[in-house]
Amino acid sequence: MADGYRDFIAGTVGGFSGKLVDYPFDTVKVLLQTENSLSSQPQSIKHTKIKQPVYRGAIHCLTHTIKKNGVMSLYKGLPAPLMGSMAENSVLFLCYAEIRRRLGETPGEKELTIFELACSGAVAGGIASFFLNPFEVIKVQMQVMNSSSTVRQYNGLIDCVKQTIQKEGIVKGLYRGQTSLLLREIPGNFCWYGVYESVCFSQIPEGGTKRDLGISTHLLGGASAGVAYWTAFYPADTVGSQIRANPLYANRGVVPVFLDILRREGWKALYRGWGITALRAAPAHALIFAMYEKTMDVFRRFDPLVEDSIDKRSGSISHSS
């Protein structure tokens, strides 16, 4: 873990950058995922009649939200996910690097396969989810607050955290939807790191290392990884949004909520918002990886004592292997 702080800091920078680009579109995604269940709140989900969707699609949701609540409503609750993205990516990249070392990766000697790197990402994603979930809960509740008069209202981020803990407790409140998040993060990060490392591998010159790659390759790899991440198991995210936003789903498990959505609205509802999610994932995740790699470059430039070790580790996938 001696070199871990570099991955931690670089991941934090990447997470901060990506979330600023990503967040308005994430708000639209959550509104699309939860529109039918939040348009009316009966005593029981069983007796809910499915109304016509509030939004005709992602573009209509975006314009309708801006017209009704203003542009800044798209950034409602931004501090929580911004901190969450920084925490998630810092822990994610830290764990990813450490797991690679524990799998036996030795700079200049033993290199991991793409499959082993993808598995490292999956494990790292599962660990990072426990740091991310409280931020996800607060984020979703803040995002849907203005979409329906039946949704609990908050005076701000701190009030949202306070009310959630007071009414539901820390575990039931802030870790609501944890299982669905694990189902998203594990396969998602398997694909995220697997696709990114594959793109990088394909572009490394003969006999070169990952350090020889330009910013365009990191952007392309990150964009491809972002789309792969959100395509891996998108329904888990839809279920998670429902559990975090809808009080009637709060104490129900992933499978019952999944089956209920499927029964009431069909498969299409489980993928509602996927289009805009994949669209915004490309630039946001491209920025995450690019900023991570550039931050690591800064460490190489200003910390000559670790120049060689980082340079060798950056070549974990190379054509010379």
Side-chain angles (χ1 to χ4, degrees), residues 33 37 57 64 79 97 132 164 197 226 248 266 283 308-311:
Q33 287 176 326
S37 65
H64 176 82
L132 175 63
T164 300
E197 299 286 13
L248 296 178
D308 291 338
S309 65
I310 294 182
D311 184 32

Side-chain angles (χ1 to χ4, degrees), residues 142-201:
M142 294 293 291
Q143 285 174 321
V144 303
M145 186 170 67
N146 292 327
S147 67
S148 173
S149 59
T150 61
V151 177
R152 187 187 301 168
Q153 300 295 302
Y154 307 103
N155 295 322
L157 174 65
I158 302 301
D159 184 51
C160 182
V161 174
K162 183 179 178 181
Q163 283 197 47
T164 300
I165 294 176
Q166 285 180 340
K167 296 179 182 294
E168 303 173 61
I170 293 177
V171 176
K172 287 188 176 181
L174 297 181
Y175 280 91
R176 184 195 307 170
Q178 176 63 40
T179 302
S180 65
L181 190 61
L182 281 168
L183 291 174
R184 185 189 84 184
E185 292 296 300
I186 293 175
N189 280 288
F190 178 92
C191 295
W192 201 54
Y193 281 109
V195 169
Y196 176 73
E197 299 286 13
S198 295
V199 171
C200 290
F201 173 79

Side-chain angles (χ1 to χ4, degrees), residues 24-321:
F25 302 101
D26 184 70
T27 296
V28 172
K29 178 206 72 172
V30 171
L31 291 176
L32 287 170
Q33 287 176 326
T34 60
E35 60 175 326
N36 279 341
S37 65
L38 294 176
S39 59
S40 61
Q41 289 282 336
Q43 294 300 312
S44 171
I45 283 288
K46 283 185 178 180
H47 302 106
T48 305
K49 293 183 179 179
I50 302 301
K51 296 184 177 182
Q52 281 294 106
V54 178
Y55 311 112
R56 295 190 294 272
I59 301 301
H60 179 244
C61 178
L62 179 67
T63 56
H64 176 82
T65 301
I66 293 175
K67 183 177 180 180
K68 182 180 178 183
N69 299 312
V71 175
M72 293 310 296
S73 66
L74 296 173
Y75 289 90
K76 178 72 72 174
L78 175 61
L82 190 60
M83 290 186 290
S85 180
M86 293 165 67
E88 177 194 20
N89 282 282
S90 60
V91 173
L92 190 61
F93 280 101
L94 172 64
C95 291
Y96 179 59
E98 181 62 21
I99 292 167
R100 286 164 59 183
R101 286 189 283 270
R102 289 184 179 276
L103 283 177
E105 181 183 74
T106 304
E109 297 179 18
K110 180 183 177 182
E111 300 167 356
L112 301 183
T113 65
I114 294 296
F115 179 74
E116 288 173 321
L117 292 169
C119 288
S120 299
V123 175
I127 295 172
S129 71
F130 290 94
F131 293 85
L132 175 63
N133 200 68
F135 297 101
E136 284 282 298
V137 171
I138 301 304
K139 179 205 75 170
V140 170
Q141 293 190 72
M142 294 293 291
Q143 285 174 321
V144 303
M145 186 170 67
N146 292 327
S147 67
S148 173
S149 59
T150 61
V151 177
R152 187 187 301 168
Q153 300 295 302
Y154 307 103
N155 295 322
L157 174 65
I158 302 301
D159 184 51
C160 182
V161 174
K162 183 179 178 181
Q163 283 197 47
T164 300
I165 294 176
Q166 285 180 340
K167 296 179 182 294
E168 303 173 61
I170 293 177
V171 176
K172 287 188 176 181
L174 297 181
Y175 280 91
R176 184 195 307 170
Q178 176 63 40
T179 302
S180 65
L181 190 61
L182 281 168
L183 291 174
R184 185 189 84 184
E185 292 296 300
I186 293 175
N189 280 288
F190 178 92
C191 295
W192 201 54
Y193 281 109
V195 169
Y196 176 73
E197 299 286 13
S198 295
V199 171
C200 290
F201 173 79
S202 69
Q203 299 301 309
I204 294 175
E206 188 69 32
T209 71
K210 195 174 175 181
R211 190 182 174 190
D212 298 319
L213 298 175
I215 187 69
S216 60
T217 300
H218 298 308
L219 289 170
L220 176 62
S224 302
V227 175
Y229 170 90
W230 282 108
T231 304
F233 198 15
Y234 187 78
D237 187 69
T238 299
V239 171
S241 292
Q242 291 280 8
I243 291 173
R244 297 183 190 99
N246 192 339
L248 296 178
Y249 282 138
N251 296 315
R252 301 182 67 183
V254 170
V255 174
V257 174
F258 174 87
L259 294 176
D260 191 68
I261 295 172
L262 185 62
R263 175 183 61 80
R264 295 170 60 243
E265 303 179 64
W267 282 101
K268 188 176 179 179
L270 292 167
Y271 286 91
R272 189 181 294 133
W274 175 85
I276 193 170
T277 299
L279 182 64
R280 53 96 170 176
H285 290 240
L287 196 57
I288 288 174
F289 276 106
M291 292 303 293
Y292 169 81
E293 297 290 358
K294 285 303 175 184
T295 303
M296 294 300 284
D297 281 344
V298 171
F299 284 121
R300 296 187 192 105
R301 193 175 303 121
F302 294 102
D303 194 350
L305 293 177
V306 299
E307 175 78 19
D308 291 338
S309 65
I310 294 182
D311 184 32
K312 289 177 182 177
R313 198 179 73 195
S314 294
S316 60
I317 45 176
S318 69
H319 287 306
S320 60
S321 60

